[in-house]
Amino acid sequence: MWGGRFDEAPDAVMRAINASLPFDKVMWRQDIAASRAHAEMLAAQGIVSAVDVAAIDAGLAQLAEEFERDGPPDGDDEDIHMAVEARLTALIGPAAGRLHTARSRNDQVATDFRLWVRDAIDRASAAIGAMRAALLDRAEQHADAVMPGFTHLQSAQPVTLGHHLMAWLEMLVRDASRFTDARARANQSPLGSAALAGTGFPVDRHATAQALGFDGPTANSLDSVSDRDFAIEFLTAATQCALHLSRMAEEIVIWASQPFGFVDLPDRWSTGSSIMPQKRNPDAAELVRGHSGRIMGCLTALMVTMKGLPLAYSKDMQDDKEPVFEAAGMLQVSLAAMTGMVRELTFRTDRMRTLAESGFATATDLADWLVREADVPFREAHHIVGRAVKLAEERGCGLPELPLADLQSIDARIDDRVFDVLTIDASVASRTSHGGTAPVRVREAIAAARAALESS
Ligand code: ARG
């Protein structure tokens, strides 16, 4: 491409370190789409003849069919942009050489990459939507199922499984909005910024932006070819989402352990052991947890690549793509695996209920009752209930099984109405504050979340 200035061919190692075709070939669709938009504009503006542009456009259409059929190009070309131009030249001859008028690979790669990231955002958003739908179904199914709620992974207060699954959903709602925000900022067209300074040809950047579905052209040619914020923002949203999936996956791992026994992993989502015949391992959940670390690593990699670069383009920026491609793939498979597990896990609600009843989970309810019914200051009530828990522990029973006489020996203001609040069902039903675990609130939250998902 630049033979005019050079006498010698590049060293083999130079070619190896310089080549990006092995990974950037996945952008072939975006490269062809951007080239077709550019060519149309060149004809409309009278920069290249309609005859040449017709040949270019037909050639690019033919290449698209070829790559669709046989897979993207590989070979000795440096990158996907060179490979497409080389194939086009082979197909249509010298007219192909007019395509690169008023364009540089710097604005070309910035455009292709934005288009690729935009598609990746749309794929992630759709996958998050599918997981939200799966969570809503399971939350609805288990809106009343009581399970232990934890702090410090110690039994704290009873909650419902529906409420817990809706907590997962909230994380995904925020993730979806982060991807939506990232998309809005990414959707600007750098095409026509050329190498760094813009071009003297009378290009119509608004027309190419529109043809490619961008909201408009970027404002500054230097920034256009230097900016990789869109990729970093995609990775930031992906990292945050992966972090959420990792926490959910960790809960599945804990819940599937024998001491917990909250879920049975279906065969379809577990693996066995080559030595221990009884094993059923939560590998998919563990790998979701594992992938999150790598996705975070991709974000770090790109930020570190970018942080010291002067404007405008530096070849370091060719290293922007692999972390994005890799993270996008890992996020997609993680979301699909989590969605599958959410749909197909068997929740052992009987076991959850048994464990919710242990661990004095309604101790706060007893303290609240003393505050409400006997006008005891909360701190004092806390102390009284602490003594009741200690007594129950000594007796080897739960709080609801303590005889009234025992409770009254601790505090005479307690009467038999207290037993109404000591069951786990009464406990969750009482938590009716906005966002609370009471089944009535959880059902409202599910209905609102369904409406939000349908309108998104
Ligand atoms: N393969 C390059 C990349 O991915 C394309 C841009 C090359 N531009 C240049 N001036 N060398 O960044």
Side-chain angles (χ1 to χ4, degrees):
M1 295 278 174
W2 44 70
R5 169 83 173 73
F6 286 66
D7 296 324
E8 276 194 284
D11 188 90
V13 176
M14 175 64 209
R15 293 173 85 98
I17 193 171
N18 203 34
S20 58
L21 186 62
F23 53 87
D24 68 15
K25 62 185 177 188
V26 303
M27 301 196 306
W28 68 265
R29 285 191 183 80
Q30 290 76 13
D31 197 72
I32 290 180
S35 287
R36 293 182 79 173
H38 182 67
E40 292 295 334
M41 182 277 295
L42 291 175
Q45 296 297 106
I47 301 168
V48 173
S49 76
V51 174
D52 283 343
V53 166
I56 289 169
D57 200 56
L60 288 170
Q62 191 180 328
L63 277 191
E65 274 173 36
E66 194 181 295
F67 296 161
E68 198 72 69
R69 190 182 59 235
D70 305 334
D74 46 19
D76 290 340
D77 294 301
E78 184 183 316
D79 57 25
I80 184 62
H81 326 294
M82 300 271 214
V84 168
E85 193 176 323
R87 292 288 305 127
L88 186 66
T89 308
L91 273 181
I92 69 166
R98 299 199 185 272
L99 174 59
H100 213 52
T101 313
R103 184 177 84 169
S104 153
R105 278 187 300 155
N106 296 350
D107 61 337
Q108 199 180 353
V109 71
T111 305
D112 293 3
F113 198 24
R114 276 193 198 239
L115 290 171
W116 195 94
V117 166
R118 193 176 71 185
D119 287 348
I121 289 173
D122 292 343
R123 281 195 295 275
S125 298
I128 290 172
M131 183 165 169
R132 283 164 68 180
L135 279 171
L136 285 169
D137 288 346
R138 299 313 299 271
E140 192 145 55
Q141 187 184 359
H142 295 296
D144 300 287
V146 182
M147 69 181 284
F150 300 94
T151 61
H152 313 263
L153 201 57
Q154 304 277 320
S155 290
Q157 292 173 349
V159 294
T160 66
L161 176 55
H163 195 51
H164 197 113
L165 295 176
M166 288 299 286
W168 288 8
L169 179 120
E170 286 298 322
M171 303 182 205
L172 294 182
V173 170
R174 291 193 295 275
D175 292 331
S177 89
R178 261 182 287 272
F179 278 113
T180 303
D181 289 352
R183 192 190 200 283
R185 269 184 298 276
N187 204 29
Q188 310 281 321
S189 175
L191 195 58
S193 299
L196 75 164
T199 173
F201 290 102
V203 293
D204 183 349
R205 295 192 55 212
H206 291 273
T208 47
Q210 198 184 4
L212 293 168
F214 287 114
D215 295 331
T218 50
N220 178 295
S221 62
L222 274 174
D223 179 54
S224 302
V225 295
S226 313
D227 171 30
R228 293 295 182 270
D229 288 9
F230 62 90
I232 292 174
E233 283 197 56
F234 168 73
L235 288 175
T236 306
T239 294
Q240 185 85 70
C241 182
L243 185 158
H244 289 149
L245 297 180
S246 179
R247 295 183 73 181
M248 299 172 204
E250 167 66 4
E251 294 201 307
I252 291 176
V253 170
I254 293 174
W255 291 356
S257 70
Q258 283 70 30
F260 267 78
F262 283 6
V263 298
D264 282 330
L265 281 174
D267 287 356
R268 282 156 51 81
W269 296 102
S270 24
T271 58
S273 156
S274 58
I275 175 169
M276 297 167 283
Q278 85 285 9
K279 289 284 270 192
R280 171 186 286 282
N281 293 326
D283 295 34
E286 292 169 285
L287 283 164
V288 168
R289 195 174 58 187
H291 282 5
S292 71
R294 292 173 59 198
I295 292 172
M296 285 167 214
C298 291
L299 169 62
T300 306
L302 182 53
M303 291 196 298
V304 175
T305 295
M306 294 305 296
K307 78 170 186 59
L309 297 186
L311 305 191
Y313 179 87
S314 298
K315 196 67 179 246
D316 315 42
M317 289 164 72
Q318 181 164 284
D319 280 347
D320 59 0
K321 288 169 212 70
E322 281 170 293
V324 170
F325 297 161
E326 208 191 330
M330 286 189 289
L331 182 67
Q332 241 16 64
V333 77
S334 298
L335 280 164
M338 288 301 286
T339 304
M341 284 187 280
V342 167
R343 281 198 193 115
E344 296 179 31
L345 282 176
T346 304
F347 292 104
R348 290 179 54 193
T349 49
D350 50 339
R351 169 91 182 143
M352 291 181 178
R353 168 167 281 273
T354 304
L355 285 180
E357 275 162 348
S358 71
F360 311 106
T362 55
T364 319
D365 298 86
L366 175 52
D368 288 350
W369 184 90
L370 283 161
V371 170
R372 223 174 28 245
E373 304 297 331
D375 198 25
V376 179
F378 184 79
R379 272 292 148 244
E380 192 189 339
H382 188 289
H383 187 76
I384 294 165
V385 177
R387 292 178 57 205
V389 167
K390 199 163 165 223
L391 188 62
E393 217 161 29
E394 281 162 20
R395 298 264 150 89
C397 67
L399 281 178
E401 287 83 48
L402 268 186
L404 182 61
D406 279 348
L407 286 169
Q408 286 173 333
S409 75
I410 296 169
D411 195 289
R413 287 168 291 189
I414 299 176
D415 63 48
D416 64 357
R417 290 173 304 152
V418 79
F419 293 107
D420 292 344
V421 303
L422 294 184
T423 67
I424 56 174
D425 292 296
S427 173
V428 296
S430 75
R431 301 282 195 271
T432 52
S433 54
H434 181 86
T437 195
V440 48
R441 287 291 98 83
V442 172
R443 290 212 160 77
E444 284 166 12
I446 293 169
R450 254 194 220 291
L453 180 58
E454 269 150 32
S455 70
S456 72

